[in-house]
Amino acid sequence: MPRRKKLWLSLPVCALSLCLSIFLCKSLPLFAGTYLNSAHGNTSYGVNRSATATIGYTQGHCGHCHEQHGSIDGEEPNPAGGSASKYAIFADNFTSQTEGFCYYCHKGAGSVQVSFDRTNYSYSYWFGGNTTLATPNNIYDTFNPVSGSSHNLQDVLDFVKTKWPDTFGNESNPCNACHNPHLAKRCGPIVRPTDRNNIWGDESGEKMSDYATAHGGQYHAPYRYNTTSTYEPDGSSTTDGSNLPDYVTFCSDCHNATNDIYSTTLGRNLKKVDFGQTQRTCYLPGDYHGSITRCFGVDGNTTDQGCGCAEPGCSNWGSLKDPYHAANYINFILCCTDCHEPHGSPSPYLLRKSVNGVTVASWSAPHSRSLCLACHNHNSHCGGTGSCLNCHYHTAYVRCWACTWCVGAGGVHGHSF
């Protein structure tokens, strides 16, 4: 075929391709979103990889993460992993618990960004106010504690790509299940895996006060570290959770009453969590830290709303400490972050080292009691002095496991704390 004819025939194809590209670009949402408003895109404290900053890339520049062309400053580095990245990033997106793209900056020694405007301390440090907890001080160490626990990133990826295959795949980074790097802000770092293009917790209806009200209870913030006058998460006098993202709804996208989530660390599925269950009925999952109204008063005695407990010694089983004792709400609904670190912890089950204004003692002995005693007094009952978690855990409802007197069932059964 003559070359001129081939050229003319190719023009409609090119035009069609261009129109299709424009159509697709207009019909699909921009993945980057409002990047310049994000923590990574901020021109004062955003990303600033040393190698690219040295050759003139401005702070927050996309090129610190994405190498959109084949060369930088006249050099053409070999693609990491042997081929071009799907997202044009400068390293493999995710390999293992110790190898992932986010770690290239968010780690201590060896970070490709020398300085940060804000250090990635734990939740207990920033929002619990315990600045004595100076380690871990980066995300890599948080996910790879010498001892303790952390979210297993491969397990996270396996779960989300199975649960939401249209959103996540083998090439995804598990950090993206909870964070959108193009949207995340200091004051709003999370997105739900079911809604990755909107920050969660920054608007009315997305606060812990909203969740508690909608589920028949009230939220009360724990004390900030070493005070009895200021509260988490911001050290103010606000206690109703109107300044705290609704982490229960956020975490429940994965950790709920129906999802089976396998833990490689534990070698079994995680205990299910049902914070929305309101029925105090035997063999129904639920949680007294959630929507189920407690059986006992704040002094640990059976209340009018109790379970008709008549067993010997069924009183004064464990009173609450302030600020909960003083508040004396009918039903306290807690936030997940009141007890758990989001990434990892020196303690098992991602439990915090600092709770309700106090530092939790070493986990080696006497085990979890130190954590629970931050909010509860431990009076004598059948549990003795062992680890509270031997009996009390999410959705436990075996005999003597959870302190609910179920008359109809003829024994002591119930739900977990």
Side-chain angles (χ1 to χ4, degrees):
M1 181 181 295
R3 182 177 181 183
R4 177 176 292 182
K5 189 174 182 179
K6 290 175 65 177
L7 176 62
W8 279 105
L9 286 174
S10 66
L11 287 176
V13 176
C14 292
L16 178 62
S17 299
L18 178 61
C19 291
L20 182 60
S21 298
I22 294 173
F23 170 77
L24 288 175
C25 288
K26 291 181 68 174
S27 60
L28 294 175
L30 289 175
F31 185 72
T34 53
Y35 173 68
L36 292 178
N37 294 329
S38 74
H40 286 144
N42 189 282
T43 55
S44 298
Y45 54 79
V47 290
N48 200 29
R49 178 161 56 122
S50 300
T52 38
T54 301
I55 59 176
Y57 282 39
T58 56
Q59 193 148 16
H61 196 293
C62 306
H64 289 304
C65 296
H66 300 281
E67 296 182 344
Q68 63 272 39
H69 299 128
S71 67
I72 293 180
D73 200 26
E75 297 184 2
E76 296 185 3
N78 291 325
S83 61
S85 165
K86 183 175 181 179
Y87 304 106
I89 51 180
F90 66 81
D92 288 343
N93 204 9
F94 174 71
T95 303
S96 68
Q97 190 77 4
T98 58
E99 291 288 337
F101 184 72
C102 302
Y103 288 153
Y104 277 82
C105 287
H106 292 285
K107 68 186 304 184
S111 172
V112 299
Q113 180 165 327
V114 174
S115 63
F116 293 86
D117 192 66
R118 180 166 175 144
T119 303
N120 291 135
Y121 292 116
S122 65
Y123 189 95
S124 294
Y125 180 104
W126 281 118
F127 303 105
N130 191 340
T131 57
T132 67
L133 301 175
T135 57
N137 59 8
N138 62 80
I139 299 299
Y140 177 93
D141 288 349
T142 303
F143 275 104
N144 295 279
V146 176
S147 62
S149 57
S150 65
H151 268 115
N152 183 299
L153 294 175
Q154 186 63 60
D155 287 348
V156 172
L157 180 58
D158 290 343
F159 175 77
V160 297
K161 72 182 185 184
T162 302
K163 182 70 177 179
W164 299 288
D166 293 338
T167 305
F168 304 98
N170 292 329
E171 75 287 353
S172 297
N173 188 313
C175 299
N176 287 3
C178 299
H179 304 287
N180 182 331
H182 300 125
L183 294 181
K185 300 178 180 179
R186 285 180 171 178
C187 58
I190 56 172
V191 295
R192 296 174 65 180
T194 54
D195 186 14
R196 299 201 63 259
N197 291 319
N198 290 291
I199 291 174
W200 176 254
D202 62 335
E203 297 178 350
S204 176
E206 299 176 356
K207 305 294 186 182
M208 270 311 300
S209 53
D210 300 311
Y211 180 90
T213 300
H215 290 79
Q218 291 174 272
Y219 177 81
H220 196 292
Y223 289 134
R224 288 265 289 189
Y225 178 68
N226 213 23
T227 79
T228 56
S229 58
T230 61
Y231 301 87
E232 296 188 8
D234 56 4
S236 70
S237 59
T238 301
T239 61
D240 66 354
S242 59
N243 56 351
L244 179 65
D246 170 10
Y247 282 107
V248 175
T249 297
F250 171 74
C251 298
S252 295
D253 275 353
C254 296
H255 300 284
N256 55 39
T258 58
N259 285 337
D260 290 321
I261 303 176
Y262 184 76
S263 167
T264 299
T265 305
L266 299 175
R268 59 167 172 79
N269 287 339
L270 297 177
K271 302 292 185 184
K272 294 179 179 178
V273 181
D274 189 357
F275 254 42
Q277 175 62 263
T278 60
Q279 294 190 59
R280 190 194 294 149
T281 305
C282 289
Y283 306 115
L284 283 180
D287 201 308
Y288 277 109
H289 283 153
S291 300
I292 297 176
T293 305
R294 68 177 188 274
C295 284
F296 300 95
V298 292
D299 290 320
N301 298 313
T302 304
T303 69
D304 293 339
Q305 304 199 23
C307 311
C309 182
E311 272 203 344
C314 186
S315 63
N316 199 25
W317 278 35
S319 57
L320 296 180
K321 294 181 178 178
D322 285 336
Y324 306 104
H325 186 275
N328 197 15
Y329 298 157
I330 295 297
N331 184 19
F332 292 100
I333 295 182
L334 273 61
C335 181
C336 307
T337 52
D338 289 350
C339 295
H340 297 281
E341 291 283 346
H343 299 133
S345 167
S347 301
Y349 309 112
L350 282 73
L351 292 169
R352 289 174 49 175
K353 282 293 295 180
S354 182
V355 175
N356 195 28
V358 299
T359 298
V360 176
S362 171
W363 198 265
S364 58
H367 312 296
S368 64
R369 292 185 64 223
S370 296
L371 178 122
C372 300
L373 289 176
C375 300
H376 296 269
N377 289 305
H378 179 265
N379 301 316
S380 177
H381 71 279
C382 60
T385 57
S387 170
C388 303
L389 300 188
N390 288 342
C391 300
H392 306 294
Y393 48 83
H394 294 298
T395 67
Y397 48 84
V398 185
R399 178 177 175 79
C400 203
W401 261 211
C403 304
T404 299
W405 175 255
C406 296
V407 177
V412 177
H413 298 264
H415 303 276
S416 69
F417 290 106

